[in-house]
Amino acid sequence: MKTVSSTDTIKNLPFPIAKVDRKFNMIETSGVWDMIFINQEKNTSETEQEFAFPINSLKELNKDCLEKKQNGEKVIPVVCEKGNFLWYRWQIMPYYDEDGDAEGSYILREEVTERIKKEQLLSKAQKVSRVGGWEVDLIHNTIYWTQTTKEIHEVSKDYVPTLEEGINFYKEGEDRERITELVSRAISDGTPWDTELRIITAKGNERWVHAKGEVELLNDKPVRITGTFRDIDQKKKADLEYKKVSERLSIATEASQIGIWDLNLRDNSLEWDQNMYRLYGIREKDFSGVYDAWESAVHPDDREKAQYELQEAIKGHKDFNTEFRIVYPSGEVRYIRAFGVIRRDSEGNAFNVIGTNWDITELKKTQLKLDYSKESFERAFEHAATGMALVSLEGNWIKFNQNLCEISGYSEEELMKMNYLDLTHPEDRSRDLLLRSELLEGKRNSYQTKKRYYHKRGHIVHLIVSITGVKNIDGELSHVISQIMDISKLVKAEEHLKSLVEITQDQNASLLNFAHIVSHNLRSHASNMTMLTDFLLKENDPSELQNIGKMLKDASESLNETVAHLNEVVQVKVGGVQKVRSVNLLKKINRVKKNINALLLEKNAECQIDIPEDLRVKAIPAYLESIFLNLFTNSLKYESPERHPIIKIKVKQNESGSCTIEFADNGLGIDLERHKDKIFGMYKTFHHHKDAKGIGLFITKNQIEAMDGKISVSSKVDKGTTFSLLLKTV
């Protein structure tokens, strides 16, 4: 170990050096050393201002060197009073006594500011451009990679590659074979390389790189290979994508017959690709290559418009995007769609137009057919005999014709504020929504249903609605078409017919009943009269003959009464519906009550009537009067001997346009378990009353049904009877 005498002087040495003891106390410095720490007013180099001495960093470095008894160095900047940096390389060299113990250190300072700045600039440039460096020492078979190179390969900062590993990063196949060939050739004959290849990074990512390398020779033998490694992945992929797109565009323009043209505005020259010649039906050798050649091919009626639109685009007023017709040399007319992009110089002057043409003849013909179909649909839509509407998937009107307004009674403005469900009868909504949901879910393409709308005036409109789904170009349901037919008159006619059928059925049933009555009652009368006639023929006694004559008279009167009853029942059904009209219910009941007022007083009867004064029912006045007269007299006829009669009449109005009239008394009541099926039968009696004939309730039921009404009864023995009459209201 070399020792340095502590008596050696460094004062006059021509470089900046200082001598310190073990505790880093300054012992001696050279003159050049002192210059950096003297505040001089010079505008040169490092002496122009005072610097902060990096005492702590140097003490730490010095301590490490003394402990290890070895030299050391470190690049540490110093900061001037204005905040500027100067970079210095500080070298620590311990000196020792005769026993080899370190007494202190020599500190050598070297300014490296320019080198550090260059290195920093180079490092930043490498990071920005993603350029890494590498070196292969062929003597020692080692590789050095810069930090950027490691980042490109996605390896750790402390990664140390081998030559084999470096080559294996290249993508297996043609890329790895290519780099192996280039490196082998370079080592063999010194040939440099400059190529673009793909690598697979340590993280498995494929990346394009630009690799350059050259060989250093010593005595005609390769000793080192150096080069750069640049990340070009984004640019390369963009170039490949551009190439792919360009190839696709070329194929697409060829396949789609799109022509490309280039008009030079300065010399009026016009270039066409091969598709343009095919589009215009012109041979290339017959095309003069000037603007006028295109102009002459345009249909005379469209030429002025096409010229104007091109000039407007050149002036910058609008894009060149137009349609025109051309005329083939054969005279055939075709439709062309044209699009152009204007190129301008730095002063904004147009110098070039590049554009495309494509044949839209078939599209134009289809469009004309579509326009005609659309026009036809519009006419059919507006003038249809039924209501027509376009309805969104949410149920809102998109469009409808005037017929729908007439069906609903609403104006166009009023309907547009409504949803189709707002018009639909509540009882029809659930079925309508179910069918609609099946249409929206694709379970059906259309459906037809009967439903009811509420007219603006409040009455019900009967309809047949046909719904058809309409799909867009993607096959998805976009809206529905509704056809709405008003069948109210038909429904009314059906109801009338149904009523007539029901009356006919009732009359047939009555006739069948009459047949039974006739077969029973008339047979009894006939047998009785036959027996009396036989007695009359055989009897000679005058007194007996007189008695038989009296019995014959009684039998004849009984027969007449039976025939009269049957005739009365028949007359109830005949023409009943045609005689129905609006009748004030309270007035009619009060009139009946007035007619039997003496009987009510005689029986000490109490009447409790709870009926609205303005309630009107659909009835035949004579029938209604007969019904209540029969109910009143029955209540009085079959009164309870235990209490005076109480008659209660009240009305319950129903939502279906009808009312229920309850006629209740507190009389003898009827045993319904015995007589339930006989209540309204002919000649059915339930009490031993001298005036009971069993014809009144039978007639009442027929009269109610003749007015399209119904009658039912509830009763308890010795509690009373309640008759419920259902009649339509006005």
Side-chain angles (χ1 to χ4, degrees):
M1 182 180 294
K2 182 181 178 181
T3 61
V4 180
S5 173
S6 62
T7 60
D8 293 342
T9 181
I10 61 173
K11 186 70 176 177
N12 297 318
L13 292 177
F15 46 82
I17 188 171
K19 182 180 180 182
V20 296
D21 60 15
R22 289 185 64 87
K23 296 182 179 181
F24 211 74
N25 295 316
M26 196 67 65
I27 299 174
E28 187 180 10
T29 61
S30 68
V32 179
W33 174 281
D34 295 336
M35 291 178 65
I36 190 173
F37 301 107
I38 300 174
N39 186 14
Q40 300 181 11
E41 295 182 358
K42 294 182 179 181
N43 296 323
T44 59
S45 184
E46 58 192 33
T47 62
E48 66 180 52
Q49 49 192 327
E50 185 176 350
F51 289 87
F53 187 66
I55 186 69
N56 292 331
S57 297
L58 289 176
K59 279 184 176 181
E60 184 178 345
L61 178 60
N62 181 66
K63 180 181 178 182
D64 186 57
C65 290
L66 291 175
E67 290 176 353
K68 295 179 179 178
K69 293 185 178 183
Q70 64 182 24
N71 295 345
E73 67 175 48
K74 189 174 184 181
V75 176
I76 306 173
V78 294
V79 185
C80 71
E81 62 181 359
K82 293 184 178 180
N84 296 327
F85 280 89
L86 285 182
W87 293 86
Y88 291 90
R89 184 165 66 91
W90 307 85
Q91 299 181 59
I92 304 294
M93 298 172 291
Y95 60 88
Y96 308 88
D97 59 16
E98 294 178 353
D99 298 327
D101 296 325
E103 292 183 343
S105 302
Y106 288 100
I107 305 173
L108 181 64
R109 173 179 58 80
E110 178 189 3
E111 184 184 355
V112 292
T113 303
E114 292 301 319
R115 180 171 66 83
I116 293 297
K117 287 183 177 179
K118 288 180 180 179
E119 289 178 355
Q120 289 178 338
L121 183 62
L122 178 60
S123 177
K124 289 180 180 179
Q126 289 178 341
K127 288 184 178 180
V128 171
S129 61
R130 294 280 285 172
V131 177
W134 56 272
E135 178 183 285
V136 179
D137 187 338
L138 298 175
I139 302 299
H140 301 93
N141 196 29
T142 59
I143 296 180
Y144 168 74
W145 281 359
T146 65
Q147 183 59 37
T148 302
T149 302
K150 292 179 180 180
E151 290 175 358
I152 293 173
H153 284 78
E154 295 187 324
V155 296
S156 62
K157 293 181 179 180
D158 57 355
Y159 178 75
V160 179
T162 64
L163 181 59
E164 183 181 1
E165 289 174 347
I167 290 178
N168 286 338
F169 271 104
Y170 287 88
K171 187 175 181 179
E172 187 176 2
E174 59 177 318
D175 295 273
R176 189 178 298 174
E177 292 171 1
R178 176 65 176 159
I179 194 63
T180 302
E181 178 187 351
L182 292 172
V183 172
S184 298
R185 186 188 300 171
I187 294 174
S188 174
D189 56 21
T191 303
W193 72 82
D194 186 340
T195 187
E196 295 177 354
L197 299 169
R198 290 167 293 179
I199 65 169
I200 304 298
T201 70
K203 295 182 178 180
N205 298 316
E206 183 178 298
R207 181 170 290 168
W208 280 92
V209 295
H210 184 190
K212 298 177 68 175
E214 59 182 24
V215 180
E216 292 184 14
L217 302 175
L218 180 63
N219 298 328
D220 294 330
K221 292 184 178 180
V223 294
R224 188 171 65 158
I225 307 175
T226 59
T228 58
F229 204 79
R230 183 158 64 95
D231 183 353
I232 60 167
D233 191 63
Q234 291 185 351
K235 179 179 179 301
K236 186 67 176 180
K237 287 180 178 177
D239 291 344
L240 291 173
E241 185 64 26
Y242 175 75
K243 182 179 179 181
K244 186 187 297 183
V245 171
S246 298
E247 290 175 351
R248 288 177 178 173
L249 178 61
S250 177
I251 295 172
T253 54
E254 182 69 25
S256 61
Q257 297 295 301
I258 294 178
I260 299 176
W261 51 272
D262 188 338
L263 174 62
N264 189 321
L265 298 175
R266 290 172 177 166
D267 61 10
N268 203 36
S269 63
L270 179 62
E271 293 184 16
W272 280 4
D273 71 351
Q274 291 300 315
N275 282 336
M276 288 291 291
Y277 295 114
R278 285 193 288 268
L279 286 175
Y280 282 74
I282 299 174
R283 294 182 298 180
E284 186 174 356
K285 66 179 183 178
D286 296 333
F287 185 66
S288 61
V290 294
Y291 173 79
D292 293 343
W294 165 76
E295 194 177 75
S296 63
V298 179
H299 193 287
D301 294 343
D302 295 347
R303 193 173 298 158
E304 183 177 348
K305 171 178 173 288
Q307 291 172 338
Y308 171 77
E309 292 190 344
L310 179 59
Q311 291 304 316
E312 286 293 291
I314 292 172
K315 293 175 184 178
H317 296 166
K318 59 182 293 187
D319 294 331
F320 184 61
N321 188 353
T322 186
E323 295 177 7
F324 52 82
R325 290 169 293 173
I326 60 171
V327 182
Y328 276 12
S330 62
E332 182 183 354
V333 176
R334 308 290 293 179
Y335 286 88
I336 295 293
R337 178 83 179 184
F339 178 78
V341 176
I342 314 299
R343 298 174 64 195
R344 303 180 185 276
D345 57 25
S346 57
E347 297 179 357
N349 298 316
F351 66 89
N352 177 245
V353 187
I354 298 176
T356 58
N357 277 186
W358 62 94
D359 191 327
I360 60 168
T361 303
E362 297 305 318
L363 177 63
K364 200 69 179 177
K365 290 179 179 179
T366 302
Q367 183 65 48
L368 291 173
K369 291 180 180 178
L370 182 62
D371 290 342
Y372 177 77
S373 298
K374 184 178 179 181
E375 184 180 348
S376 299
F377 174 77
E378 291 289 342
R379 289 198 301 268
F381 187 90
E382 292 298 334
H383 302 292
T386 61
M388 297 286 291
L390 303 183
V391 185
S392 71
L393 301 184
E394 294 74 29
N396 299 317
W397 305 111
I398 299 174
K399 185 179 181 181
F400 45 78
N401 63 0
Q402 185 59 35
N403 210 323
L404 181 59
C405 296
E406 294 174 0
I407 289 173
S408 65
Y410 290 96
S411 67
E412 182 177 346
E413 293 76 13
E414 290 171 329
L415 269 182
M416 287 303 294
K417 297 176 182 178
M418 304 172 70
N419 186 289
Y420 84 100
L421 284 177
D422 296 334
L423 298 175
T424 305
H425 193 285
E427 295 177 3
D428 298 340
R429 289 178 183 174
S430 59
R431 182 179 72 255
D432 203 0
L433 288 172
L434 176 62
L435 293 171
R436 185 178 180 83
S437 65
E438 291 179 356
L439 181 73
L440 298 181
E441 292 169 6
K443 296 179 180 179
R444 57 170 72 231
N445 296 321
S446 62
Y447 66 87
Q448 187 179 86
T449 183
K450 285 185 178 182
K451 62 186 299 185
R452 292 164 291 177
Y453 271 0
Y454 276 120
H455 194 274
K456 182 180 179 180
R457 296 177 182 174
H459 63 269
I460 291 176
V461 182
H462 293 269
L463 309 166
I464 290 180
V465 179
S466 299
I467 304 295
T468 304
V470 179
K471 296 181 179 180
N472 57 25
I473 194 170
D474 298 322
E476 297 176 348
L477 199 65
S478 62
H479 62 281
V480 300
I481 296 178
S482 295
Q483 292 177 279
I484 304 158
M485 181 183 297
D486 186 350
I487 59 169
S488 298
K489 292 181 179 179
L490 178 62
V491 170
K492 189 174 182 180
E494 287 180 350
E495 289 177 349
H496 180 66
L497 180 61
K498 182 180 178 181
S499 176
L500 292 177
V501 170
E502 289 177 353
I503 291 173
T504 302
Q505 290 174 340
D506 289 344
Q507 288 178 340
N508 288 338
S510 298
L511 288 174
L512 182 60
N513 193 28
F514 297 159
H516 290 299
I517 294 169
V518 168
S519 64
H520 179 270
N521 290 20
L522 295 186
R523 186 186 304 114
S524 299
H525 290 300
S527 298
N528 187 39
M529 294 185 73
T530 300
M531 290 176 61
L532 291 174
T533 303
D534 290 340
F535 290 156
L536 183 63
L537 293 175
K538 295 177 181 179
E539 187 62 54
N540 295 319
D541 187 349
S543 61
E544 286 298 327
L545 289 174
Q546 184 177 3
N547 187 38
I548 292 171
K550 183 179 180 183
M551 286 190 289
L552 277 173
K553 181 180 179 183
D554 291 341
S556 176
E557 289 177 353
S558 180
L559 177 61
N560 284 335
E561 184 179 5
T562 298
V563 172
H565 288 164
L566 292 174
N567 183 62
E568 186 177 353
V569 172
V570 172
Q571 292 301 318
V572 167
K573 291 290 187 178
V574 177
V577 174
Q578 289 78 4
K579 299 176 183 178
V580 171
R581 64 172 184 264
S582 174
V583 178
N584 185 291
L585 182 61
L586 181 60
K587 288 183 178 180
K588 183 58 66 177
I589 291 174
N590 285 333
R591 181 176 177 178
V592 173
K593 179 174 171 288
K594 183 178 180 181
N595 291 338
I596 61 169
N597 196 44
L599 185 58
L600 290 171
L601 291 174
E602 179 185 344
K603 297 290 186 177
N604 193 25
E606 177 184 349
C607 292
Q608 299 176 8
I609 302 174
D610 183 14
I611 297 176
E613 294 183 358
D614 58 348
L615 179 62
R616 304 186 73 84
V617 295
K618 295 180 179 179
I620 301 172
Y623 286 2
L624 194 61
E625 188 172 332
S626 173
I627 290 167
F628 283 108
L629 180 62
N630 187 51
L631 293 178
F632 267 114
T633 55
N634 277 355
S635 295
L636 297 176
K637 185 187 300 182
Y638 303 113
E639 63 174 324
S640 171
E642 305 297 329
R643 50 191 175 270
H644 69 273
I646 298 177
I647 298 172
K648 297 180 180 180
I649 308 173
K650 62 180 181 179
V651 169
K652 177 184 177 183
Q653 297 196 50
N654 308 318
E655 294 182 357
S656 57
S658 64
C659 69
T660 301
I661 308 165
E662 292 185 355
F663 192 103
D665 64 40
N666 62 342
L668 295 175
I670 303 171
D671 187 351
L672 294 181
E673 291 184 5
R674 293 179 57 194
H675 307 298
K676 182 177 181 181
D677 298 330
K678 305 174 183 178
I679 296 294
F680 299 105
M682 193 172 186
Y683 298 127
K684 303 299 181 182
T685 58
F686 316 108
H687 300 286
H688 301 291
H689 194 282
K690 62 178 181 177
D691 295 327
K693 296 183 179 180
I695 193 65
L697 289 179
F698 181 79
I699 296 294
T700 295
K701 182 175 183 295
N702 280 269
Q703 289 174 331
I704 286 286
E705 291 175 350
M707 298 184 295
D708 199 19
K710 295 180 180 179
I711 185 170
S712 60
V713 63
S714 62
S715 182
K716 290 185 178 181
V717 176
D718 202 33
K719 295 293 184 181
T721 302
T722 300
F723 289 93
S724 296
L725 287 67
L726 181 68
L727 292 175
K728 293 182 178 180
T729 56
V730 179

